[in-house]
């Protein structure tokens, strides 16, 4: 996986929404959006797997606290296709992150690190960010 | 703290659109584009205290010669939209009122991987 865009000092606050639009590569196997404080402290590792690590069309979410991964959460919804443009919205509060998928499906992932601001975003894998908005 | 992006993968011909709110109580704000903090093809720096826009480049950590433009159309605390088009020979910056200024691609960059923004709270980022 090529290392993608990294953004820091975003200063995204609870209640605000991060909207990310990008292109999924035509032969996509997997991509990642990481959100948190820095690379070792992630409140959300969002990893749609088309065909990777033994998973097919599954979203795997996790957190990373001081460099240590938490328990994986698997979300059965998978509204992603290789070679398409997708938009994902993520908002958070003290207890949860709310992820809105391209088809409008929403799910929550616990804010295990209780972060009060999201300052770090990194993309990796078969996805190229074209647009980001903070609302 | 300044907003920073790495691994940007901006190629010749692409345009970056930034929207944001200029902070209050600052003397200037800046948008820097290049291949790292010490390799800036474009330092775009509107200064309120001098009422001027200063552009420059930084190669190997050393600033080049300043280019000054007196079309200072920014005010503190306002929402602004800016576009930067990256061409092989120059950067073209379109200001909120449509005025365009250009700055030569002195470092001869063919791609840009680094962006940082100071004094401007970014609300949207788009690369075409």
């Amino acid at each position: 996986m090529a290392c993608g865009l990294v953004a820091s000092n975003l200063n995204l606050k609870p209640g605000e929404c991060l909207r990310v639009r990008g292109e999924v590569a035509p032969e996509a196997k997997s991509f990642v959006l990481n959100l948190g404080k820095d690379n070792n402290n992630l409140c959300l590792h969002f990893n749609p797997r088309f065909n990777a690590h033994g998973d097919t069309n599954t979203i795997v979410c996790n957190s990373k606290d001081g460099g240590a991964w938490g328990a994986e959460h698997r979300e059965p919804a998978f509204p992603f296709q290789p070679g398409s443009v997708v938009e994902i919205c993520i908002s958070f509060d003290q207890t949860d992150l709310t992820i809105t998928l391209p088809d409008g499906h929403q799910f929550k992932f616990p804010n295990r690190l209780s972060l009060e601001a999201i300052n770090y975003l990194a993309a990796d894998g078969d996805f190229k960010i074209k647009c980001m908005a903070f609302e | 703290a300044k907003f920073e992006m790495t691994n940007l993968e901006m190629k010749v011909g692409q345009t970056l659109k930034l929207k944001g709110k200029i902070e209050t109580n600052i003397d200037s704000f800046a948008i820097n584009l290049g291949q790292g903090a010490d390799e800036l093809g474009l330092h775009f720096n509107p200064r309120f205290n001098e009422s001027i826009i200063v552009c420059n480049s930084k190669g190997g950590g050393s600033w080049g010669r300043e280019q000054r433009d007196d079309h200072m159309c920014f005010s503190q605390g306002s929402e602004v939209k800016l576009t930067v088009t990256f061409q092989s020979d120059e950067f073209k910056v379109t200001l909120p009122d449509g005025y365009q200024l250009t700055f030569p691609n002195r470092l001869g960059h063919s791609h840009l991987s680094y962006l940082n923004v100071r004094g401007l709270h970014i609300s949207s980022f788009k690369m075409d």
Side-chain angles (χ1 to χ4, degrees):
Chain A
M1 278 203 243
C3 187
L5 188 73
V6 179
S8 50
N9 295 315
L10 297 177
N11 199 25
L12 190 76
K13 294 281 170 46
E16 292 181 329
C17 174
L18 171 69
R19 210 149 45 85
V20 178
R21 191 163 74 228
E23 292 170 355
V24 180
E27 307 286 325
K29 295 208 177 317
S30 161
F31 74 86
V32 171
L33 283 178
N34 284 328
L35 286 176
K37 182 168 169 267
D38 55 42
N39 193 34
N40 282 320
N41 294 282
L42 303 173
C43 58
L44 178 67
H45 166 78
F46 174 81
N47 178 208
R49 297 179 181 174
F50 298 87
N51 186 1
H53 308 291
D55 286 303
T56 307
N57 293 352
T58 305
I59 300 172
V60 177
C61 293
N62 206 341
S63 57
K64 200 187 232 185
D65 194 350
W69 288 110
E72 284 187 348
H73 166 91
R74 282 180 157 67
E75 186 67 23
F78 198 80
F80 296 107
Q81 286 176 340
S84 64
V85 173
V86 298
E87 188 171 290
I88 301 146
C89 295
I90 299 162
S91 62
F92 79 108
D93 59 28
Q94 303 289 36
T95 49
D96 293 300
L97 290 107
T98 303
I99 299 106
T100 308
L101 300 177
D103 64 347
H105 176 81
Q106 276 193 343
F107 69 96
K108 287 186 190 296
F109 182 77
N111 183 359
R112 294 170 180 160
L113 278 66
S114 303
L115 289 185
E116 288 175 5
I118 291 176
N119 275 308
Y120 174 87
L121 175 144
D124 212 341
D126 305 315
F127 182 68
K128 188 166 184 200
I129 292 178
K130 304 297 283 183
C131 181
M132 279 196 310
F134 315 95
E135 292 156 0
Chain B
K2 61 180 190 288
F3 178 86
E4 195 175 60
M5 280 184 168
T6 54
N7 298 324
L8 195 60
E9 287 188 71
M10 185 171 176
K11 299 187 183 73
V12 166
Q14 287 195 299
T15 296
L16 184 68
K17 293 183 184 172
L18 292 174
K19 269 192 233 174
K21 189 172 194 271
I22 300 172
E23 291 172 15
T24 49
N25 303 317
I26 48 169
D27 289 338
S28 77
F29 72 94
I31 297 169
N32 294 309
L33 263 173
Q35 295 183 351
D38 285 334
E39 295 295 332
L40 300 175
L42 176 68
H43 166 72
F44 173 81
N45 177 214
R47 295 181 184 174
F48 299 107
N49 51 357
E50 296 175 69
S51 196
I52 201 147
I53 299 173
V54 174
C55 290
N56 206 342
S57 57
K58 195 190 241 186
S62 302
W63 289 109
R65 191 162 47 81
E66 287 186 349
Q67 176 183 298
R68 289 172 169 251
D69 191 309
D70 62 8
H71 192 88
M72 180 61 186
C73 61
F74 297 100
S75 53
Q76 292 165 335
S78 64
E79 300 268 356
V80 292
K81 198 164 129 182
L82 280 159
T83 69
V84 182
T85 300
F86 174 45
Q87 296 171 328
S88 56
D89 57 339
E90 64 186 13
F91 294 88
K92 192 178 279 177
V93 185
T94 306
L95 307 187
D97 64 354
Y99 179 86
Q100 283 194 330
L101 66 82
T102 59
F103 184 76
N105 180 6
R106 291 175 181 163
L107 306 184
H109 286 159
S110 58
H111 76 280
L112 304 170
S113 54
Y114 180 82
L115 168 75
N116 86 47
V117 177
R118 165 174 65 74
L120 178 66
H121 186 76
I122 297 294
S123 59
S124 145
F125 159 94
K126 189 175 182 184
M127 204 162 67
D128 290 320

